[in-house]
Amino acid sequence: MTQSPPTAFDIADMTWPPPPYQPPVPPVTAADGVRRFDGITYATTPGYRPRLLDVQVPAGEGPFPAVVWIHGGGWLDGDRRYPPPTVPAPLLHGTVLAAGLALVSIDYRHSLEAPFPAQLHDVKAAIRYVRAFAGDLGIDPDRIGVWGESAGGHLAALAGLVGPADAMDGVALEGTHGVGSGETGVLAVVDWYGVSDLVALASHPMPPMPSGVEFPDPYEALLGASAAERPDLARAASPVTYAEGSTPPPPFLLVHGTRDGLVPYSQSEVLAAALQGAGGEVTLQPVDGADHIFLGSPDIASIVEESVAFLARHLGAGV
């Protein structure tokens, strides 16, 4: 049977190219009163998958301060829905919500989809989106913080330090994806074992991969070249580059395992020193004996609780 062509009404409703973002989906309210907005398209770019975010909002009137969670995975992997395997999602999500904070979990383009600064552009786009639709989401647009682990910690630090005036070879680091314009500053940053200086890290050997496993070098994939080949880009992708120029930087909590074999503990020490030099409030919290993703730590719950308490204090949760 021949299908009828679209009617004039159908054609009028179609847009091309597709819109750069979608409005929030209707929330689902759980029995405990928590509202969930799942799979919101906060940015689209032709040729790439849509970037999605999820929002969980505590029960109550609000508006609530919000934490933007940025997953890790070496900029090559990862998913907004899943924290590292050492940190159960119910623990992370439940602790945030119990503190009176909304949780915004975001995806971003991986490095083999698009090299840096695409990842930072996406984080900035997500923050702009949350502010633009804060009323629909039940979020206070003036009380937003960021929290990331590993690659996400690196992006959280950049989000806290890079402003509209910062550029890389003439390319704005703010980006214009999604909503396109608007304030992207944040009030607080929690950075779990993130990279802070890609130039210094270039000499640090990567842990050996198991036999038969092929995994690209995450730093070369992020930059599209080695740090030696693109030292300018490596500096532009390093949070320490912007720490002393931020006036003043937002409060930072840096949490890092002292035996991290993937991202050395010294990376957080360097960032802490730069932030202190800029007059910023920074807390460097070592996790004694722990490897990457806090492997070997006997008390993950306390690390989560202390991170959430830091965010709740600086975002004014409960006020």
Side-chain angles (χ1 to χ4, degrees), residues 5-15:
T7 65
F9 177 80
D10 295 327
I11 293 171
D13 280 357
M14 295 171 64
T15 59

Side-chain angles (χ1 to χ4, degrees), residues 57-293:
V57 184
E61 290 299 319
F64 297 94
V67 178
V68 176
W69 166 261
I70 311 170
H71 69 77
W75 310 283
L76 286 158
D77 198 5
D79 186 310
R80 70 187 187 280
R81 297 168 295 178
Y82 307 118
T86 48
V87 183
L91 170 65
L92 181 75
H93 297 179
T95 307
V96 171
L97 293 166
L101 300 166
L103 179 64
V104 180
S105 306
I106 70 169
D107 282 334
Y108 53 88
R109 282 171 289 176
H110 293 155
S111 56
L112 294 184
E113 294 179 271
F116 185 84
Q119 298 71 31
L120 180 57
H121 286 172
D122 290 349
V123 172
K124 294 279 192 173
I127 295 170
R128 282 194 297 269
Y129 185 96
V130 170
R131 282 209 166 95
F133 289 99
D136 301 279
L137 299 171
I139 285 173
D140 184 340
D142 297 323
R143 295 189 289 165
I144 296 176
V146 288
W147 179 7
E149 61 96 14
S150 196
H154 162 260
L155 294 173
L158 284 174
L161 295 171
V162 171
D166 294 303
M168 178 195 67
D169 293 337
V171 177
L173 295 174
E174 197 76 7
T176 58
H177 294 269
V179 171
S181 63
E183 172 62 38
T184 62
V186 297
L187 295 185
V189 178
V190 174
D191 172 359
W192 280 1
Y193 45 86
V195 171
S196 64
D197 186 345
L198 273 78
V199 177
L201 202 60
S203 61
H204 179 73
M206 291 289 295
M209 290 291 107
S211 178
V213 174
E214 294 185 10
F215 199 79
D217 181 289
Y219 307 110
E220 292 190 9
L222 179 69
L223 301 176
S226 70
E229 293 169 320
R230 290 295 310 273
D232 55 334
L233 187 56
R235 284 191 296 271
S238 297
V240 292
T241 300
Y242 311 97
E244 293 185 5
S246 184
T247 53
F252 268 70
L253 172 63
L254 307 174
V255 190
H256 208 133
T258 59
R259 299 189 64 182
D260 194 322
L262 186 61
V263 179
Y265 178 73
S266 58
Q267 286 281 300
S268 285
E269 290 181 308
V270 167
L271 182 56
L275 291 166
Q276 288 170 345
E281 176 187 339
V282 56
T283 301
L284 175 56
Q285 180 179 323
V287 183
D288 289 335
D291 201 339
H292 205 61
I293 66 171

